[in-house]
Amino acid sequence: MRVGRPIVRAGIGLAISIVAFVIVLRSVDIADTLLVLARATPVWIAVALAAVTADAMTRAARWQRLLAPIRAVRYRNVLRYTLIGYLANNVLPARLGELVRSHYLGDREGLSRTTTLGTVVVERVIDTVMAVLIAAAAVIVLGIGGVVATAVIVGGAVAGAFALALGIGLAAHRLPGASRLIALGPRWPRMAELVGRLRGGLSVAARPRTLIAAVLWSAIAWAWSTAAFAATGQAVGLTLSPVEAALVVSVTALATAIPSGPGYLGTFELAAVRILQALGVASDAALAFALLAHATILVATSAGGAIALAQVGWQPSSDRSG
């Protein structure tokens, strides 16, 4: 059973990716898409790669700030663990890279992996909320309705649920009936220990200065993501305004939260193509953009992750639990 569940989840993710690709390919001319890609401008591709790299570095700085209340970790090390997580996300389904980077940081830095995972959860909540806010603002500015607006509303509901869950996790000990649950702790000491460690990571969100700093770093990271998409657009002959690029970035990010195959294949392309079509971009150019943007992200993060993994090493440095 334990072995079968991951296989089932991976199978579902691959199925979602395949369906998404089929939907995209039914509405485009592959030959025209390849022609657009063949004419892509190398200089703009290089700019996009640089922006993606800066984005990853900024997100590592944000994670370092979230970890600071728990323990000071060198930025170079946090960057390595972040890139290893990105590499894992590129080859594993269902965003399992988040668990991988939590494992590596916990193991190499002597921290509880469960506590470390708690800070990653805070990251994901911040990113989801910011993606919804950016997308909503862009939809209002651009006056877009239909499927895109509906997707943003759904994303808002998901972001609200995540934020609520985080709030409940932080204030669980104050909720009605909490004392009864706490009293059950001695019966399941291991579970109580894991919950306590997870809350230790989540608790960084209750520190105003830490949370504000994380939000500011997030804003910078989203700016780099927007710049990367704008540069990718230029590479394939599309001039996207900052607002349009921000809309594509934010909604695509929300789409990649859907469990799918490795590297968010299919869901990324479907979201990008549908948004660009709503902006009046031809289907072949929209798919060319989506493929190039996705390839840029995968190449930059996979290369960085491979280098980081070679530096950190594959084998665990200890047998720490948690």
Side-chain angles (χ1 to χ4, degrees), residues 21 36 52 69 122 143 165 178 200 209 231 247 293 300 305:
F21 259 124
V36 174
V52 170
V122 174
R209 291 185 179 180
L247 176 62

Short mmCIF file of all heavy atoms in Angstrom, two decimals, residues 21 36 52 69 122 143 165 178 200 209 231 247 293 300 305:
data_model
loop_
_atom_site.label_atom_id
_atom_site.label_comp_id
_atom_site.label_asym_id
_atom_site.label_seq_id
_atom_site.Cartn_x
_atom_site.Cartn_y
_atom_site.Cartn_z
N PHE A 21 -1.72 18.41 -22.49
CA PHE A 21 -1.01 18.54 -23.76
C PHE A 21 -1.94 18.27 -24.94
O PHE A 21 -1.88 18.95 -25.97
CB PHE A 21 0.18 17.58 -23.81
CG PHE A 21 1.49 18.25 -23.52
CD1 PHE A 21 2.30 17.80 -22.50
CD2 PHE A 21 1.92 19.34 -24.27
CE1 PHE A 21 3.51 18.40 -22.22
CE2 PHE A 21 3.12 19.96 -24.01
CZ PHE A 21 3.93 19.49 -22.99
N VAL A 36 8.08 29.34 -35.48
CA VAL A 36 8.26 30.47 -34.57
C VAL A 36 9.45 30.22 -33.65
O VAL A 36 10.27 31.10 -33.42
CB VAL A 36 6.98 30.71 -33.74
CG1 VAL A 36 7.23 31.78 -32.68
CG2 VAL A 36 5.82 31.12 -34.64
N VAL A 52 15.56 34.12 -14.86
CA VAL A 52 15.14 32.93 -14.13
C VAL A 52 16.15 32.60 -13.03
O VAL A 52 15.77 32.23 -11.90
CB VAL A 52 14.99 31.72 -15.09
CG1 VAL A 52 14.79 30.43 -14.31
CG2 VAL A 52 13.82 31.94 -16.04
N PRO A 69 14.61 32.75 12.15
CA PRO A 69 14.16 32.62 13.55
C PRO A 69 14.45 31.24 14.14
O PRO A 69 14.48 31.09 15.37
CB PRO A 69 12.65 32.87 13.45
CG PRO A 69 12.46 33.65 12.20
CD PRO A 69 13.49 33.10 11.26
N VAL A 122 4.93 27.76 4.58
CA VAL A 122 4.72 29.21 4.67
C VAL A 122 5.06 29.86 3.33
O VAL A 122 4.34 30.73 2.84
CB VAL A 122 5.57 29.83 5.80
CG1 VAL A 122 5.45 31.36 5.77
CG2 VAL A 122 5.12 29.29 7.15
N GLY A 143 -8.98 44.23 -18.14
CA GLY A 143 -10.39 44.05 -18.45
C GLY A 143 -10.71 42.70 -19.07
O GLY A 143 -11.55 42.61 -19.97
N ALA A 165 -5.85 27.57 6.58
CA ALA A 165 -5.22 26.39 7.16
C ALA A 165 -3.96 26.77 7.94
O ALA A 165 -3.70 26.23 9.02
CB ALA A 165 -4.88 25.38 6.07
N ALA A 178 -8.96 22.07 21.98
CA ALA A 178 -7.53 21.83 21.80
C ALA A 178 -6.93 21.14 23.01
O ALA A 178 -6.04 20.30 22.87
CB ALA A 178 -6.82 23.16 21.55
N GLY A 200 6.62 24.43 14.70
CA GLY A 200 7.81 25.25 14.89
C GLY A 200 8.22 25.94 13.60
O GLY A 200 8.67 27.09 13.62
N ARG A 209 8.07 40.87 11.44
CA ARG A 209 9.24 41.28 10.66
C ARG A 209 9.66 40.21 9.67
O ARG A 209 10.01 40.51 8.52
CB ARG A 209 10.39 41.61 11.61
CG ARG A 209 10.17 42.88 12.44
CD ARG A 209 11.42 43.20 13.25
NE ARG A 209 11.24 44.42 14.03
CZ ARG A 209 12.17 44.95 14.83
NH1 ARG A 209 13.35 44.33 14.95
NH2 ARG A 209 11.92 46.05 15.50
N ALA A 231 10.94 38.78 -21.50
CA ALA A 231 12.08 38.51 -22.38
C ALA A 231 11.78 37.33 -23.31
O ALA A 231 12.14 37.35 -24.49
CB ALA A 231 13.33 38.22 -21.54
N LEU A 247 0.43 38.74 -15.67
CA LEU A 247 -0.76 37.89 -15.69
C LEU A 247 -0.39 36.47 -16.12
O LEU A 247 -0.83 35.49 -15.50
CB LEU A 247 -1.80 38.46 -16.66
CG LEU A 247 -3.07 37.62 -16.86
CD1 LEU A 247 -3.82 37.47 -15.55
CD2 LEU A 247 -3.96 38.23 -17.94
N ALA A 293 9.39 29.36 -22.74
CA ALA A 293 9.43 29.81 -21.34
C ALA A 293 9.65 28.63 -20.40
O ALA A 293 10.46 28.70 -19.46
CB ALA A 293 8.13 30.53 -20.99
N ALA A 300 17.53 26.25 -16.70
CA ALA A 300 18.23 27.03 -15.67
C ALA A 300 18.19 26.34 -14.32
O ALA A 300 19.22 26.22 -13.64
CB ALA A 300 17.61 28.43 -15.57
N GLY A 305 20.53 22.96 -10.21
CA GLY A 305 20.30 21.87 -9.26
C GLY A 305 21.35 20.77 -9.38
O GLY A 305 21.78 20.21 -8.37
#
